[in-house]
Amino acid sequence: MKEDEVARQQRERMVKEQLSARDVTDERVLQAMLAVPRHLFVPRDVQHLAYADAPLPIGEKQTISQPYIVALMTQLLELKGDEKVLEVGTGSGYQAAILAHLARQVYTLERIPKLAQQARKVLRKLALQNVEVIEGDGSQGLPEHAPFDAIVVTAAAPRVPEPLKQQLAEGGRLVLPVGSRVGQILERWVRKGEDYEVERIAPVAFVPLVGTHGWKPDDAPASWWM
Ligand code: SAM
């Protein structure tokens, strides 16, 4: 069997056993998770684990999140196809690729240049035209492209960064982990005028959001795993 076919079968099993069997029900999200070749976003030495129910190391002490967490966060954004989306924490670029399948335009911000460059390479290989990787401190958002219909932060914030709240469009959804350095709650903020409806979704453990509206680099602990 060809390598691509094997990977496709592994993705089908991932979607069935890790996503549909849990609470991921958005058909568009399931299709995107089926379509994106996750194994291309991880280093060669962990490629055999690409479809496992786990986060994986991607270098620079960072991780690609567990497939279920990627799918859950994406589902919470309620994308229909015409949205402008911001991701904070490009990492491998995998979540950005999923978003690119589901929205009109995706901007993704990464503070570590080496990861941004590698993510760009894979996204280009997949010919995804509607995603732009930008290097910088995503805790400040991306004012030049605001407002966003949806914002997802894939690193742990001590509190919700004010610029991200401000850069959300009316009715827009902001999904992010908020909490301490050892564990957080996944939250969804929905903008209603100058107010926000807040839902607390599930306990999670992400690598830290390091920046002006995140943790100081020194605050960051040595190992994280989502
Ligand atoms: N979404 C990623 C993926 O699909 O592979 C996983 C992200 S990883 C869990 C968190 C990423 O957030 C790391 O690559 C880290 O360097 C990045 N990060 C942390 N603080 C950041 C900041 N202030 N701005 C941009 N990226 C940041």
PDB file of all heavy atoms in Angstrom, residues 8 22 56 83 87-88 96 98-99 104-105 108 119 126 128 150 156 190-191 200 203 207 210-211 218 221:
ATOM      1  N   ARG A   8      -3.949   8.032   5.041  1.00  0.00           N
ATOM      2  CA  ARG A   8      -5.390   8.314   4.905  1.00  0.00           C
ATOM      3  C   ARG A   8      -6.192   7.373   5.822  1.00  0.00           C
ATOM      4  O   ARG A   8      -7.103   7.798   6.516  1.00  0.00           O
ATOM      5  CB  ARG A   8      -5.782   8.134   3.427  1.00  0.00           C
ATOM      6  CG  ARG A   8      -7.264   8.173   3.126  1.00  0.00           C
ATOM      7  CD  ARG A   8      -7.770   9.596   3.025  1.00  0.00           C
ATOM      8  NE  ARG A   8      -9.220   9.611   3.017  1.00  0.00           N
ATOM      9  CZ  ARG A   8      -9.964  10.683   2.869  1.00  0.00           C
ATOM     10  NH1 ARG A   8      -9.409  11.864   2.735  1.00  0.00           N
ATOM     11  NH2 ARG A   8     -11.265  10.622   2.882  1.00  0.00           N
ATOM     12  N   ARG A  22     -16.007  10.986  20.556  1.00  0.00           N
ATOM     13  CA  ARG A  22     -16.135  11.951  21.667  1.00  0.00           C
ATOM     14  C   ARG A  22     -17.213  12.941  21.245  1.00  0.00           C
ATOM     15  O   ARG A  22     -18.255  12.544  20.756  1.00  0.00           O
ATOM     16  CB  ARG A  22     -14.783  12.598  21.942  1.00  0.00           C
ATOM     17  CG  ARG A  22     -13.771  11.574  22.488  1.00  0.00           C
ATOM     18  CD  ARG A  22     -12.457  12.241  22.839  1.00  0.00           C
ATOM     19  NE  ARG A  22     -11.506  11.304  23.410  1.00  0.00           N
ATOM     20  CZ  ARG A  22     -10.212  11.251  23.086  1.00  0.00           C
ATOM     21  NH1 ARG A  22      -9.713  12.112  22.209  1.00  0.00           N
ATOM     22  NH2 ARG A  22      -9.405  10.378  23.646  1.00  0.00           N
ATOM     23  N   LEU A  56       2.562  16.079  20.442  1.00  0.00           N
ATOM     24  CA  LEU A  56       3.900  15.590  20.090  1.00  0.00           C
ATOM     25  C   LEU A  56       4.879  16.763  20.090  1.00  0.00           C
ATOM     26  O   LEU A  56       4.485  17.895  19.809  1.00  0.00           O
ATOM     27  CB  LEU A  56       3.881  14.967  18.685  1.00  0.00           C
ATOM     28  CG  LEU A  56       3.077  13.677  18.508  1.00  0.00           C
ATOM     29  CD1 LEU A  56       2.956  13.341  17.021  1.00  0.00           C
ATOM     30  CD2 LEU A  56       3.725  12.530  19.262  1.00  0.00           C
ATOM     31  N   GLU A  83     -15.211  33.373   7.044  1.00  0.00           N
ATOM     32  CA  GLU A  83     -14.640  34.159   8.134  1.00  0.00           C
ATOM     33  C   GLU A  83     -13.179  34.566   7.910  1.00  0.00           C
ATOM     34  O   GLU A  83     -12.450  33.917   7.179  1.00  0.00           O
ATOM     35  CB  GLU A  83     -14.699  33.356   9.448  1.00  0.00           C
ATOM     36  CG  GLU A  83     -16.093  33.033   9.935  1.00  0.00           C
ATOM     37  CD  GLU A  83     -16.704  31.787   9.294  1.00  0.00           C
ATOM     38  OE1 GLU A  83     -16.051  31.182   8.411  1.00  0.00           O
ATOM     39  OE2 GLU A  83     -17.824  31.438   9.681  1.00  0.00           O
ATOM     40  N   GLU A  87      -5.067  33.025  14.340  1.00  0.00           N
ATOM     41  CA  GLU A  87      -4.546  32.038  15.284  1.00  0.00           C
ATOM     42  C   GLU A  87      -3.314  32.624  15.955  1.00  0.00           C
ATOM     43  O   GLU A  87      -2.447  33.183  15.272  1.00  0.00           O
ATOM     44  CB  GLU A  87      -4.145  30.739  14.576  1.00  0.00           C
ATOM     45  CG  GLU A  87      -3.603  29.721  15.579  1.00  0.00           C
ATOM     46  CD  GLU A  87      -2.845  28.534  14.972  1.00  0.00           C
ATOM     47  OE1 GLU A  87      -2.349  28.641  13.835  1.00  0.00           O
ATOM     48  OE2 GLU A  87      -2.744  27.514  15.652  1.00  0.00           O
ATOM     49  N   VAL A  88      -3.207  32.481  17.261  1.00  0.00           N
ATOM     50  CA  VAL A  88      -2.004  32.878  17.988  1.00  0.00           C
ATOM     51  C   VAL A  88      -1.293  31.596  18.421  1.00  0.00           C
ATOM     52  O   VAL A  88      -1.870  30.789  19.157  1.00  0.00           O
ATOM     53  CB  VAL A  88      -2.348  33.753  19.213  1.00  0.00           C
ATOM     54  CG1 VAL A  88      -1.074  34.064  20.007  1.00  0.00           C
ATOM     55  CG2 VAL A  88      -3.046  35.036  18.780  1.00  0.00           C
ATOM     56  N   ALA A  96      -3.435  25.802  11.777  1.00  0.00           N
ATOM     57  CA  ALA A  96      -3.662  26.816  10.734  1.00  0.00           C
ATOM     58  C   ALA A  96      -4.170  26.163   9.452  1.00  0.00           C
ATOM     59  O   ALA A  96      -5.037  26.709   8.759  1.00  0.00           O
ATOM     60  CB  ALA A  96      -2.371  27.595  10.472  1.00  0.00           C
ATOM     61  N   ILE A  98      -5.897  23.376   9.232  1.00  0.00           N
ATOM     62  CA  ILE A  98      -7.301  22.991   9.483  1.00  0.00           C
ATOM     63  C   ILE A  98      -8.198  24.225   9.303  1.00  0.00           C
ATOM     64  O   ILE A  98      -9.232  24.173   8.622  1.00  0.00           O
ATOM     65  CB  ILE A  98      -7.463  22.409  10.922  1.00  0.00           C
ATOM     66  CG1 ILE A  98      -6.654  21.113  11.088  1.00  0.00           C
ATOM     67  CG2 ILE A  98      -8.935  22.209  11.278  1.00  0.00           C
ATOM     68  CD1 ILE A  98      -7.174  19.899  10.367  1.00  0.00           C
ATOM     69  N   LEU A  99      -7.771  25.343   9.883  1.00  0.00           N
ATOM     70  CA  LEU A  99      -8.567  26.578   9.784  1.00  0.00           C
ATOM     71  C   LEU A  99      -8.691  27.025   8.328  1.00  0.00           C
ATOM     72  O   LEU A  99      -9.752  27.498   7.899  1.00  0.00           O
ATOM     73  CB  LEU A  99      -7.931  27.693  10.629  1.00  0.00           C
ATOM     74  CG  LEU A  99      -7.901  27.447  12.144  1.00  0.00           C
ATOM     75  CD1 LEU A  99      -7.024  28.494  12.833  1.00  0.00           C
ATOM     76  CD2 LEU A  99      -9.316  27.459  12.728  1.00  0.00           C
ATOM     77  N   ARG A 104     -12.344  31.754   5.219  1.00  0.00           N
ATOM     78  CA  ARG A 104     -11.918  32.477   4.011  1.00  0.00           C
ATOM     79  C   ARG A 104     -10.444  32.868   4.075  1.00  0.00           C
ATOM     80  O   ARG A 104      -9.694  32.695   3.137  1.00  0.00           O
ATOM     81  CB  ARG A 104     -12.795  33.737   3.839  1.00  0.00           C
ATOM     82  CG  ARG A 104     -12.420  34.625   2.667  1.00  0.00           C
ATOM     83  CD  ARG A 104     -13.457  35.726   2.446  1.00  0.00           C
ATOM     84  NE  ARG A 104     -13.775  36.470   3.666  1.00  0.00           N
ATOM     85  CZ  ARG A 104     -13.046  37.461   4.161  1.00  0.00           C
ATOM     86  NH1 ARG A 104     -11.951  37.855   3.558  1.00  0.00           N
ATOM     87  NH2 ARG A 104     -13.424  38.086   5.274  1.00  0.00           N
ATOM     88  N   GLN A 105     -10.021  33.446   5.213  1.00  0.00           N
ATOM     89  CA  GLN A 105      -8.639  33.929   5.353  1.00  0.00           C
ATOM     90  C   GLN A 105      -8.151  33.653   6.770  1.00  0.00           C
ATOM     91  O   GLN A 105      -8.871  33.903   7.736  1.00  0.00           O
ATOM     92  CB  GLN A 105      -8.575  35.430   5.053  1.00  0.00           C
ATOM     93  CG  GLN A 105      -7.197  36.033   5.196  1.00  0.00           C
ATOM     94  CD  GLN A 105      -6.186  35.488   4.176  1.00  0.00           C
ATOM     95  OE1 GLN A 105      -6.506  35.311   3.009  1.00  0.00           O
ATOM     96  NE2 GLN A 105      -4.970  35.189   4.616  1.00  0.00           N
ATOM     97  N   THR A 108      -1.848  33.644  11.056  1.00  0.00           N
ATOM     98  CA  THR A 108      -1.364  32.912  12.224  1.00  0.00           C
ATOM     99  C   THR A 108      -0.040  33.494  12.673  1.00  0.00           C
ATOM    100  O   THR A 108       0.852  33.766  11.856  1.00  0.00           O
ATOM    101  CB  THR A 108      -1.288  31.390  11.945  1.00  0.00           C
ATOM    102  OG1 THR A 108      -0.750  30.742  13.110  1.00  0.00           O
ATOM    103  CG2 THR A 108      -0.444  31.045  10.724  1.00  0.00           C
ATOM    104  N   ALA A 119       6.712  26.043   9.409  1.00  0.00           N
ATOM    105  CA  ALA A 119       5.253  25.972   9.159  1.00  0.00           C
ATOM    106  C   ALA A 119       4.926  26.504   7.766  1.00  0.00           C
ATOM    107  O   ALA A 119       4.150  25.900   7.025  1.00  0.00           O
ATOM    108  CB  ALA A 119       4.504  26.769  10.231  1.00  0.00           C
ATOM    109  N   LEU A 126       1.449  22.239   0.731  1.00  0.00           N
ATOM    110  CA  LEU A 126       0.051  21.812   0.620  1.00  0.00           C
ATOM    111  C   LEU A 126      -0.773  22.782  -0.241  1.00  0.00           C
ATOM    112  O   LEU A 126      -1.986  22.610  -0.382  1.00  0.00           O
ATOM    113  CB  LEU A 126      -0.585  21.683   2.012  1.00  0.00           C
ATOM    114  CG  LEU A 126      -0.001  20.571   2.888  1.00  0.00           C
ATOM    115  CD1 LEU A 126      -0.651  20.577   4.261  1.00  0.00           C
ATOM    116  CD2 LEU A 126      -0.176  19.206   2.230  1.00  0.00           C
ATOM    117  N   LEU A 128      -1.838  25.737   0.294  1.00  0.00           N
ATOM    118  CA  LEU A 128      -2.926  26.466   0.967  1.00  0.00           C
ATOM    119  C   LEU A 128      -2.676  27.966   0.771  1.00  0.00           C
ATOM    120  O   LEU A 128      -1.711  28.521   1.292  1.00  0.00           O
ATOM    121  CB  LEU A 128      -2.981  26.095   2.450  1.00  0.00           C
ATOM    122  CG  LEU A 128      -3.441  24.661   2.710  1.00  0.00           C
ATOM    123  CD1 LEU A 128      -3.211  24.261   4.165  1.00  0.00           C
ATOM    124  CD2 LEU A 128      -4.920  24.493   2.343  1.00  0.00           C
ATOM    125  N   ALA A 150     -13.182  35.182  14.218  1.00  0.00           N
ATOM    126  CA  ALA A 150     -12.808  34.145  15.184  1.00  0.00           C
ATOM    127  C   ALA A 150     -11.324  34.278  15.495  1.00  0.00           C
ATOM    128  O   ALA A 150     -10.522  34.595  14.615  1.00  0.00           O
ATOM    129  CB  ALA A 150     -13.100  32.763  14.605  1.00  0.00           C
ATOM    130  N   ALA A 156      -1.076  28.912  26.509  1.00  0.00           N
ATOM    131  CA  ALA A 156      -1.796  29.227  27.746  1.00  0.00           C
ATOM    132  C   ALA A 156      -1.593  30.667  28.208  1.00  0.00           C
ATOM    133  O   ALA A 156      -0.455  31.099  28.414  1.00  0.00           O
ATOM    134  CB  ALA A 156      -1.333  28.281  28.845  1.00  0.00           C
ATOM    135  N   VAL A 190     -17.561  35.216  23.558  1.00  0.00           N
ATOM    136  CA  VAL A 190     -18.325  35.656  22.383  1.00  0.00           C
ATOM    137  C   VAL A 190     -18.667  37.130  22.572  1.00  0.00           C
ATOM    138  O   VAL A 190     -19.220  37.520  23.611  1.00  0.00           O
ATOM    139  CB  VAL A 190     -19.617  34.826  22.215  1.00  0.00           C
ATOM    140  CG1 VAL A 190     -20.396  35.304  20.981  1.00  0.00           C
ATOM    141  CG2 VAL A 190     -19.289  33.338  22.078  1.00  0.00           C
ATOM    142  N   ARG A 191     -18.314  37.953  21.589  1.00  0.00           N
ATOM    143  CA  ARG A 191     -18.517  39.408  21.723  1.00  0.00           C
ATOM    144  C   ARG A 191     -19.965  39.797  21.482  1.00  0.00           C
ATOM    145  O   ARG A 191     -20.564  39.422  20.461  1.00  0.00           O
ATOM    146  CB  ARG A 191     -17.619  40.164  20.754  1.00  0.00           C
ATOM    147  CG  ARG A 191     -17.724  41.662  20.968  1.00  0.00           C
ATOM    148  CD  ARG A 191     -16.599  42.413  20.343  1.00  0.00           C
ATOM    149  NE  ARG A 191     -16.584  43.758  20.896  1.00  0.00           N
ATOM    150  CZ  ARG A 191     -15.624  44.620  20.740  1.00  0.00           C
ATOM    151  NH1 ARG A 191     -14.544  44.285  20.052  1.00  0.00           N
ATOM    152  NH2 ARG A 191     -15.698  45.820  21.264  1.00  0.00           N
ATOM    153  N   ARG A 200     -16.943  28.261  30.062  1.00  0.00           N
ATOM    154  CA  ARG A 200     -15.771  27.473  30.459  1.00  0.00           C
ATOM    155  C   ARG A 200     -16.005  26.046  29.964  1.00  0.00           C
ATOM    156  O   ARG A 200     -17.008  25.427  30.338  1.00  0.00           O
ATOM    157  CB  ARG A 200     -15.593  27.545  31.978  1.00  0.00           C
ATOM    158  CG  ARG A 200     -15.213  28.962  32.424  1.00  0.00           C
ATOM    159  CD  ARG A 200     -15.548  29.201  33.879  1.00  0.00           C
ATOM    160  NE  ARG A 200     -14.736  28.422  34.788  1.00  0.00           N
ATOM    161  CZ  ARG A 200     -13.522  28.749  35.212  1.00  0.00           C
ATOM    162  NH1 ARG A 200     -12.972  29.880  34.786  1.00  0.00           N
ATOM    163  NH2 ARG A 200     -12.875  27.998  36.050  1.00  0.00           N
ATOM    164  N   PRO A 203     -10.858  21.373  31.262  1.00  0.00           N
ATOM    165  CA  PRO A 203      -9.478  21.575  31.740  1.00  0.00           C
ATOM    166  C   PRO A 203      -8.471  21.130  30.690  1.00  0.00           C
ATOM    167  O   PRO A 203      -8.683  20.112  30.020  1.00  0.00           O
ATOM    168  CB  PRO A 203      -9.389  20.662  32.977  1.00  0.00           C
ATOM    169  CG  PRO A 203     -10.512  19.714  32.877  1.00  0.00           C
ATOM    170  CD  PRO A 203     -11.533  20.245  31.909  1.00  0.00           C
ATOM    171  N   VAL A 207       1.400  24.771  26.479  1.00  0.00           N
ATOM    172  CA  VAL A 207       2.647  25.531  26.635  1.00  0.00           C
ATOM    173  C   VAL A 207       2.261  27.007  26.824  1.00  0.00           C
ATOM    174  O   VAL A 207       1.186  27.429  26.395  1.00  0.00           O
ATOM    175  CB  VAL A 207       3.574  25.380  25.400  1.00  0.00           C
ATOM    176  CG1 VAL A 207       4.065  23.961  25.248  1.00  0.00           C
ATOM    177  CG2 VAL A 207       2.873  25.835  24.121  1.00  0.00           C
ATOM    178  N   VAL A 210       3.877  33.458  25.615  1.00  0.00           N
ATOM    179  CA  VAL A 210       4.949  34.311  26.123  1.00  0.00           C
ATOM    180  C   VAL A 210       4.890  35.641  25.382  1.00  0.00           C
ATOM    181  O   VAL A 210       5.033  35.681  24.154  1.00  0.00           O
ATOM    182  CB  VAL A 210       6.328  33.641  25.893  1.00  0.00           C
ATOM    183  CG1 VAL A 210       7.454  34.556  26.341  1.00  0.00           C
ATOM    184  CG2 VAL A 210       6.393  32.311  26.637  1.00  0.00           C
ATOM    185  N   GLY A 211       4.637  36.718  26.114  1.00  0.00           N
ATOM    186  CA  GLY A 211       4.547  38.013  25.435  1.00  0.00           C
ATOM    187  C   GLY A 211       3.997  39.087  26.347  1.00  0.00           C
ATOM    188  O   GLY A 211       3.746  38.858  27.539  1.00  0.00           O
ATOM    189  N   ASP A 218      10.829  34.241  31.518  1.00  0.00           N
ATOM    190  CA  ASP A 218      11.350  33.586  32.718  1.00  0.00           C
ATOM    191  C   ASP A 218      10.280  32.846  33.506  1.00  0.00           C
ATOM    192  O   ASP A 218      10.578  31.938  34.262  1.00  0.00           O
ATOM    193  CB  ASP A 218      12.003  34.614  33.643  1.00  0.00           C
ATOM    194  CG  ASP A 218      13.264  35.163  33.015  1.00  0.00           C
ATOM    195  OD1 ASP A 218      13.747  34.535  32.066  1.00  0.00           O
ATOM    196  OD2 ASP A 218      13.727  36.204  33.478  1.00  0.00           O
ATOM    197  N   PRO A 221       7.635  27.516  32.607  1.00  0.00           N
ATOM    198  CA  PRO A 221       8.258  26.304  33.131  1.00  0.00           C
ATOM    199  C   PRO A 221       8.917  25.498  32.005  1.00  0.00           C
ATOM    200  O   PRO A 221       8.693  25.769  30.829  1.00  0.00           O
ATOM    201  CB  PRO A 221       7.081  25.531  33.707  1.00  0.00           C
ATOM    202  CG  PRO A 221       5.922  25.997  32.942  1.00  0.00           C
ATOM    203  CD  PRO A 221       6.199  27.408  32.531  1.00  0.00           C
TER     204      PRO A 221
END
